[in-house]
Amino acid sequence: MAAEPGIRTAAADDAEGGPPRATRGLTALLTCAMAFSMMQLFLLGALGPRLVGELGISPTVLGLTTTVGFGTAAVLSPVGGRVVDRVGPRRCLVALLLISAVALALIGAAPGAGLLLGAVALGGLPQALANPATNKAILAAVPAPQRGPVTGMKQSGVQLGAFAAGLPLAALAGGIGWRGAVWTAAGTAVAAAFWAARRLPADPPPAAAKPGGGRMPLRPRGHIAWLTVFSLFLGCGIASVNTYLALFGAQRLGLGPTAAGAMVAVLGVAGIAGRVWWSKLAGRPGLGEWLPGWLAAGAVAAALMLAGATSFHPLAWAAAAAVGIFAVSGNAVSMVLVMRRAAAGRAGLDSALVSAGFFAGFAVGPPLFGLLADAGRYGPGWLLVAAEFTAACAISTLWAARDRRATPAGAAA
């Protein structure tokens, strides 16, 4: 598809060779933005054992933090998509990083559940901006043949955030306390915002509303609707793993807080590799549409391994890696499919609608799991996650089959 109107770039010249330095720099910035957009989620999960102990919150309240943050992101995502389409990705990415820094600073200052929940709600705004802004930047600045790999790399930023939360920041919390670790992340987000402001190409002037046609419908349609529902169930399962994996390791597997957080880091490293690899394949017409179902099937197996880990503890480490390789890669693949098929001028909004489904899943999944975790029933909890991934697999497979029947033989997707 043609490049989206947006940041000014020399993308046409880039298409003649490999990715130039400007494209590599853009990829690094987008990866950083994705990491900070969801850093609070992974920090709350990796530091869960410390938060439960020091703040006196229950596992159910820990899950409620995820519900508040991603519920806010789900509600704001359609509006965020329109804002990105109107004002441009550079402004939105700088705002994303600054708001992330404020949310992280407030989490570090929280004396109890009240301020913690308020800070997490604020952190929903960067999540709502992340996919629309980064996807819009890619469509504007990256030649079409390179968009799949660049998308996979920037989506891996989310898992880079998981790695940072699960290993270096969790280890730092052991030395300077969990509040100091969270404030360190907040300071790094401020530095990233200054970097983005200096290095990202300027946005064009804000677009004026078109008479009689300026308002685009917020209801997802066609393939966007299918990807939104797929993302809803995928998000339910992923959020439960992200939120409770470390707590599961501490309460049921006998791991210390740092070792339990390291399982989140394993998930993050595997997710980086999976998102980069599968996103390359997702750019192939006729293949990309089937990938979400295949990845969801792998995620089902990973959830069943977590259920088995209640009896055979070493399985948990392999399961964490499998969740990263399969489940979290499904979201990156869906973003590639959105960019391949977005209507002209709707890349931000279409990305936001699919993200809204994903965030709604993040809001719904952890509280359901938390009810089981409160009762110490982690085995049934992981079976619930397997059921959610199974639903995602069924929906995406049905869509791919229907799309194949509707697409003329030999036509580009």
Side-chain angles (χ1 to χ4, degrees):
M1 62 176 289
E4 283 278 323
I7 55 177
R8 290 187 287 272
T9 177
D13 296 335
D14 298 347
E16 298 178 359
R21 179 181 301 178
T23 300
R24 292 195 297 270
L26 175 67
T27 303
L29 275 171
L30 299 183
T31 303
C32 181
M34 292 298 295
F36 279 108
S37 73
M38 294 178 66
M39 178 69 75
Q40 62 170 352
L41 164 72
F42 295 112
L43 275 173
L44 290 172
L47 301 177
R50 301 180 192 275
L51 293 173
V52 169
E54 294 185 28
L55 294 185
I57 61 176
S58 69
T60 299
V61 172
L62 183 64
L64 186 60
T65 62
T66 303
T67 299
V68 170
F70 285 97
T72 304
V75 170
L76 294 179
S77 281
V79 177
R82 279 182 169 170
V83 169
V84 172
D85 282 332
R86 182 173 175 82
V87 307
R90 179 178 180 270
R91 297 181 182 96
C92 292
L93 287 170
V94 172
L96 179 161
L97 289 164
L98 290 175
I99 296 170
S100 295
V102 173
L104 287 166
L106 290 175
I107 289 173
L115 183 56
L116 184 67
L117 291 174
V120 170
L122 177 63
L125 181 55
Q127 295 160 28
L129 293 173
N131 277 316
T134 54
N135 287 355
K136 188 91 171 180
I138 289 172
L139 286 171
V142 179
Q146 298 168 10
R147 288 174 188 162
V150 171
T151 301
M153 184 60 68
K154 70 97 174 173
Q155 290 293 135
S156 75
V158 175
Q159 303 317 122
L160 181 63
F163 173 80
L167 196 59
L169 288 174
L172 185 63
I176 65 173
W178 69 269
R179 296 183 190 274
V182 175
W183 286 331
T184 299
T188 307
V190 172
F194 281 103
W195 179 33
R198 289 177 59 88
R199 296 298 300 271
L200 283 173
D203 290 318
K210 298 179 181 179
R215 292 187 62 83
M216 293 179 285
L218 291 177
R219 181 175 60 86
R221 300 172 297 178
H223 70 282
I224 296 298
W226 285 93
L227 288 172
T228 299
V229 179
F230 162 77
S231 298
L232 169 67
F233 285 102
L234 188 74
C236 282
I238 293 175
S240 297
V241 177
N242 287 342
T243 305
Y244 289 104
L245 182 62
L247 198 61
F248 170 63
Q251 292 185 344
R252 286 297 302 271
L253 307 185
L255 301 177
T258 301
M263 280 205 298
V264 180
V266 169
L267 187 156
V269 171
I272 292 171
R275 287 187 160 191
V276 172
W277 170 254
W278 294 116
S279 293
K280 290 180 181 179
L281 297 182
R284 301 180 184 177
L287 175 61
E289 288 73 13
W290 292 98
L291 277 181
W294 298 347
L295 295 176
V300 173
L304 293 176
M305 289 169 65
L306 281 171
T310 58
S311 300
F312 184 62
H313 295 179
L315 269 180
W317 295 92
V323 170
I325 291 170
F326 296 109
V328 301
S329 299
N331 181 243
V333 167
S334 69
M335 287 297 111
V336 175
L337 295 175
V338 168
M339 285 190 289
R340 276 180 48 200
R341 299 180 133 198
R346 281 185 58 103
L349 180 56
D350 284 350
S351 299
L353 292 172
V354 174
S355 295
F358 192 60
F359 295 148
F362 268 67
V364 171
L368 296 177
F369 193 105
L371 295 175
L372 296 169
D374 268 345
R377 303 182 64 195
Y378 280 100
W382 299 129
L383 292 178
L384 173 63
V385 171
E388 292 161 350
F389 287 148
T390 298
C393 179
I395 290 164
S396 57
T397 302
L398 285 172
W399 168 63
R402 177 174 174 172
D403 187 73
R404 174 181 247 179
R405 289 193 300 269
T407 303

